[in-house]
Amino acid sequence: RQSRPVSMAASGQPRKLQEQVAHGGPVRCVHIGRKSGGVMVTGGDDKKVNLWSVGRPNAILSLAGHTSSVESVSFDCSERTVVAGSAGGTLKMWDLEHGRVARTLTGHRSSAITVEWHPYGEFFASGSADTYLKVWDMRQRACIQTYRGHAGAVRNLLFSPDGRWVVSGCDGGEVRLWDLTAGKLLTELCTHAGAVSALAIHPTEFLMATAAADRTVRLWDLETFSPVGAALPEPGGGSRRVAFTPDGSALLSAGEESLRGWGWEPARCHLHSETRWSRLSDFCIVGGGGGGGGGGGGVGGVG
């Protein structure tokens, strides 16, 4: 029921910003707004979507309308709209300015467990326990592409920075890259021995990071679709989130017990900090700084 935003102080040690009761039942999902880093949205078993200002104890908005628990939430790039997926498979678009449902979309046969906005245009993608990945066009108010082939629930989605590809990771351990223009599979990476937990793409280079329940983080060359070096070990429970720093100089991996900063070629851990998140739900880098929060930047996670 609790949400705990945490920031990384200049010393490299985590600092809890706040802790509050966010829902009338377990919190199922959290997303921090990437534009400002100052707002977050949560979904819960109480079937509500709540909007928060980071650092303030009370919700800005509490949105009701789902008929089952809210399993996934995501801001659009302007932070004016939230898409939320439910355990029943229904997706709702929430207009935050007016505090109402803008659209309700159906198509998944079971829980919509991940949603991700396209970096440009009025598109978003959803992944489900039905093993399907769907791309939705808000102008047409409909699903325009359905991708099949995963062996397990599609739990992670990520668009490439140029918007040409969408990447999906599933409980079966594989990662697939889909060409949105051609509407077909580009390649499949047989990556991990456990469910894929996180994806990240380098801001300027053809480099992708994947993390999974097998307690490893792997790097991939997106020109050759081949691994870059050996798998990076993640002790404990493994990584739940990964992110490249805005300048692309390091990769951060965050798990239940620690935050690590990695370099590559050769692979080396430059930062290790104990965090003790109970259950990390989202993680982002705010401002222009690197992994330790220098240069006016910072690292934020919600557990």
Side-chain angles (χ1 to χ4, degrees):
R1 300 185 182 187
Q2 293 180 322
S3 177
R4 303 179 183 87
V6 176
S7 72
M8 187 63 64
S11 63
Q13 295 303 311
R15 176 173 57 89
K16 183 187 294 184
L17 292 179
Q18 69 189 84
E19 179 173 346
Q20 73 248 22
V21 176
H23 287 271
V27 178
R28 305 296 297 176
C29 51
V30 179
H31 186 244
I32 303 169
R34 298 316 197 242
K35 179 182 178 181
S36 67
V39 292
M40 68 179 183
V41 61
T42 60
D45 270 5
D46 59 3
K47 307 174 188 177
K48 292 182 179 179
V49 174
N50 291 338
L51 179 69
W52 307 83
S53 176
V54 174
R56 295 183 179 272
N58 299 316
I60 301 170
L61 284 174
S62 185
L63 306 168
H66 285 278
T67 57
S68 58
S69 65
V70 179
E71 300 292 312
S72 55
V73 287
S74 182
F75 285 104
D76 70 344
C77 59
S78 69
E79 298 178 356
R80 295 175 182 172
T81 304
V82 164
V83 61
S86 72
T90 300
L91 298 155
K92 288 185 181 291
M93 303 277 301
W94 292 95
D95 178 339
L96 299 181
E97 182 179 355
H98 297 98
R100 61 179 177 83
V101 176
R103 293 176 190 128
T104 298
L105 303 167
T106 59
H108 284 297
R109 297 181 296 176
S110 56
S111 180
I113 51 182
T114 181
V115 286
E116 181 77 13
W117 283 92
H118 190 275
Y120 311 110
E122 296 184 353
F123 302 91
F124 74 89
S126 60
S128 171
D130 63 12
T131 74
Y132 293 165
L133 159 62
K134 291 180 177 288
V135 179
W136 306 82
D137 186 333
M138 293 301 92
R139 294 165 297 187
Q140 299 182 31
R141 303 189 179 189
C143 175
I144 57 171
Q145 292 175 335
T146 298
Y147 297 119
R148 302 171 174 86
H150 275 294
V154 179
R155 202 166 294 277
N156 292 274
L157 293 174
L158 182 66
F159 285 100
S160 61
D162 62 8
R164 295 171 55 193
W165 300 346
V166 62
V167 186
S168 54
C170 83
D171 283 356
E174 79 263 19
V175 171
R176 294 184 171 219
L177 283 78
W178 308 87
D179 186 319
L180 293 172
T181 303
K184 65 180 182 180
L185 180 68
L186 182 64
T187 191
E188 178 180 340
L189 305 176
C190 297
T191 56
H192 292 280
V196 177
S197 58
L199 305 166
I201 294 179
H202 194 281
T204 58
E205 299 178 14
F206 286 94
L207 185 67
M208 180 174 70
T210 62
D214 61 5
R215 301 180 182 179
T216 64
V217 174
R218 295 179 180 271
L219 294 169
W220 302 88
D221 185 321
L222 292 182
E223 291 184 302
T224 63
F225 303 115
S226 59
V228 176
L232 309 175
E234 278 285 353
S239 292
R240 290 188 58 87
R241 293 292 182 267
V242 289
F244 287 97
T245 55
D247 63 3
S249 63
L251 172 72
L252 300 182
S253 62
E256 307 296 341
E257 300 177 356
S258 65
L259 174 71
R260 286 179 168 83
W262 300 91
W264 52 92
E265 295 181 327
R268 190 160 67 95
C269 181
H270 297 284
L271 167 72
H272 178 212
S273 179
E274 298 298 324
T275 55
R276 303 300 179 188
W277 279 304
S278 58
R279 183 181 180 275
L280 182 67
S281 297
D282 195 22
F283 169 77
C284 74
I285 302 166
V286 181
V299 179
V302 181

